[in-house]
Every structure is written in C-alpha cells, then in structure tokens.
Amino acid sequence: MPKYSIVVVDDDRSDANKVVEQILKLKDVHKIGGFEDIKIFEHGKEALNYLMRNKVDILFLDIQMPEISGFELYKILPEQMRPALVFVTAYAEFALDSYQLDACDYLLKNVSFDTVFLALNKCLKRLGMPIMIAPAVQREYYVYEIKDSRCKRVLKYRDIIYIHSIDNYVEIVTRNERLICRITMEEIEENMPLSYFVRIHRGYIVNFKFVKGIDGAKVWLSESEKGSLPISRTRRKNIAGMGKPQ
C-alpha cells in the first residue's frame, strides 16, 4: 500500500495531540499504518499556506479557530488540492455544513481510537485505497439532522430500538423518543454497529439488543409500543447467526 500524508489542524494543541495519539496507535497495523509523519498546525493560516504548496492526502480539521475557520480554510483550497476531510469539533451543530463540504467524517471531541480508526477507513476509501474495518471497531454515536428543523441530535446507537424508512426520511425510535431525520437507510447502514444492528426489511433496521424473539416472519421487541417488526424473505439471511439477543 502506498504511503499517504496526514495533516492535523487545531488551535488547541492538546486536542490536536489527542487526534495524533489515536492515529499513531495504528502505526504498526497492516495497510492502515502506511502513513508518513503527521504534521500539526495550530494556526489556520499557516496550515493553509502549507496545504496550498503541498499535496496532502488526509486532513483532520477543527472548525472554530481564530483568524480563519475550518470551513473557510477548506473552501479556499482549489478542488485539486483538497485532501480527504475529517472535521474534529466540540460542536454538533456544524454537522450539516460539514456534509455540504463532502467531509468523510465528523468527529466530536474528545476523540476515541474507534472513531479515528473509522474516519481513516472512510478517507482511505475516498482515496481509492479501501481496507478492511475490524468488526470490533464500531461507532458509538451519530449526528442526525432533524426534519423541518435546524436542530441536530447526537444519538448513541445503544439507545436506538429500530429505524423505519419513510419516503425520503427515516423515523428513529429510541427508548425515550421518536425522531424524523434527514438521512437514508443506506447512510445509516454504512455507519451502524454491525455486531448488533441488522437490516431485516427494506424499511426496517433493528437493534438486536431489543429483540426478545423471532418467529420467522417477525422479530418481537422487548421495548417499544410497536411490539414487532417484519422480516422480509430476502433479508432473513441477515439474522442468521445473530444468536440470542443480549
């Protein structure tokens, strides 16, 4: 696998160091550890000058910085000089804007090894260098945009009972609420924990931690007013080997 370059930009050096610390844990991992030395910049303008003069593959970028924001910095870069982008921020409310810039991922501080590993996988896939994601590495949360609202919500996957497709939106049912969100089932499948979330129907994804039984055509839920969800014939193979719900 060819070497690839990484730049981390954050006006808070301690936050930048946390990102680098997680990346360096991958140094000896086959394929994903093929990166060159990581460059860190605490000032957006210095980072911009470097990025304008050097081809960088992956960029971990803070959003709120003095002098120039992460959004402004990335927009200034000519398209051919734009690295695969991961935003790292303390604020969930910028998530929608980040996706409009086609960011590979959006991480909330403080970053964990799992989230950085997944972000790097997405960047490498964008660069045409796909690798295998370890099954044990799973995202704990996702930032969802709520329908007809500027509000975004950070939802922990462990609290989601099931997800239902409704036209161009999805209904996310948690232990405490129902949310209508702007996202596709395919996008959710790309990010959901594969060890306990399963697509059982074209219109349903279920968290198997809330499944108490299966009768062939349905899964029965331990929580939720709905009681049960349908299993389509073509999706029955997806639940094979799931074992007893925890």
Side-chain angles (χ1 to χ4, degrees):
M1 182 176 184
K3 293 282 187 180
Y4 57 94
S5 55
I6 301 175
V7 166
V8 178
V9 185
D10 197 315
D11 61 303
D12 187 323
R13 183 71 182 212
S14 64
D15 285 337
N17 287 341
K18 288 173 185 174
V19 173
V20 173
E21 178 185 352
Q22 305 310 321
I23 296 173
L24 288 177
K25 290 179 182 178
L26 299 165
K27 192 67 177 176
D28 297 322
V29 176
H30 179 56
K31 292 187 178 180
I32 199 169
F35 50 82
E36 300 168 343
D37 291 338
I38 305 164
K39 295 192 178 297
I40 302 174
F41 294 93
E42 296 179 53
H43 302 285
K45 288 185 177 179
E46 290 181 4
L48 180 59
N49 286 332
Y50 180 84
L51 292 165
M52 292 289 282
R53 292 172 170 78
N54 298 273
K55 189 70 174 78
V56 172
D57 295 309
I58 297 174
L59 174 63
F60 285 82
L61 182 61
D62 190 14
I63 293 177
Q64 287 199 322
M65 299 183 293
E67 297 183 334
I68 183 171
S69 73
F71 289 137
E72 292 168 335
L73 186 157
Y74 199 72
K75 288 177 182 177
I76 291 171
L77 289 173
E79 287 195 19
Q80 67 273 17
M81 296 295 288
R82 291 181 178 180
L85 174 63
V86 178
F87 280 114
V88 184
T89 177
Y91 304 96
E93 59 265 28
F94 297 123
L96 177 60
D97 295 323
S98 77
Y99 295 129
Q100 291 174 344
L101 286 178
D102 201 25
C104 293
D105 213 337
Y106 186 93
L107 307 184
L108 294 178
K109 300 177 180 181
N110 293 315
V111 297
S112 67
F113 171 76
D114 290 2
T115 58
V116 170
F117 186 23
L118 286 173
L120 276 173
N121 269 277
K122 290 182 179 181
C123 289
L124 292 174
K125 183 177 180 181
R126 176 74 58 83
L127 295 170
M129 299 184 286
I131 67 166
M132 204 54 114
I133 298 178
V137 179
Q138 300 177 141
R139 179 182 289 280
E140 297 178 0
Y141 63 87
Y142 198 80
V143 180
Y144 292 97
E145 180 196 358
I146 307 303
K147 180 184 178 183
D148 301 327
S149 171
R150 290 289 298 174
C151 176
K152 287 91 177 174
R153 291 290 304 277
V154 177
L155 292 181
K156 294 183 177 179
Y157 277 112
R158 66 170 181 262
D159 295 328
I160 297 174
I161 300 174
Y162 69 88
I163 300 163
H164 178 208
S165 175
I166 306 175
D167 297 324
N168 296 322
Y169 300 91
V170 298
E171 175 190 36
I172 298 178
V173 179
T174 75
R175 306 183 80 167
N176 302 308
E177 59 188 334
R178 294 170 181 265
L179 301 170
I180 305 298
C181 302
R182 296 176 180 271
I183 193 170
T184 66
M185 295 288 269
E186 288 67 29
E187 288 176 284
I188 290 175
E189 276 193 295
E190 186 177 329
N191 291 282
M192 69 187 187
L194 299 179
S195 63
Y196 58 94
F197 269 86
V198 182
R199 184 85 175 262
I200 59 171
H201 187 279
R202 184 171 60 86
Y204 288 98
I205 292 172
V206 67
N207 180 347
F208 247 71
K209 293 180 183 294
F210 293 98
V211 172
K212 63 180 180 180
I214 306 169
D215 70 3
K218 294 180 181 179
V219 294
W220 294 90
L221 303 174
S222 59
E223 298 184 32
S224 170
E225 297 176 358
K226 200 168 185 68
S228 66
L229 301 174
I231 306 172
S232 68
R233 184 173 301 175
T234 57
R235 301 277 180 174
R236 287 177 187 174
K237 63 181 181 297
N238 291 359
I239 65 174
M242 286 300 296
K244 184 178 179 180
Q246 300 297 313

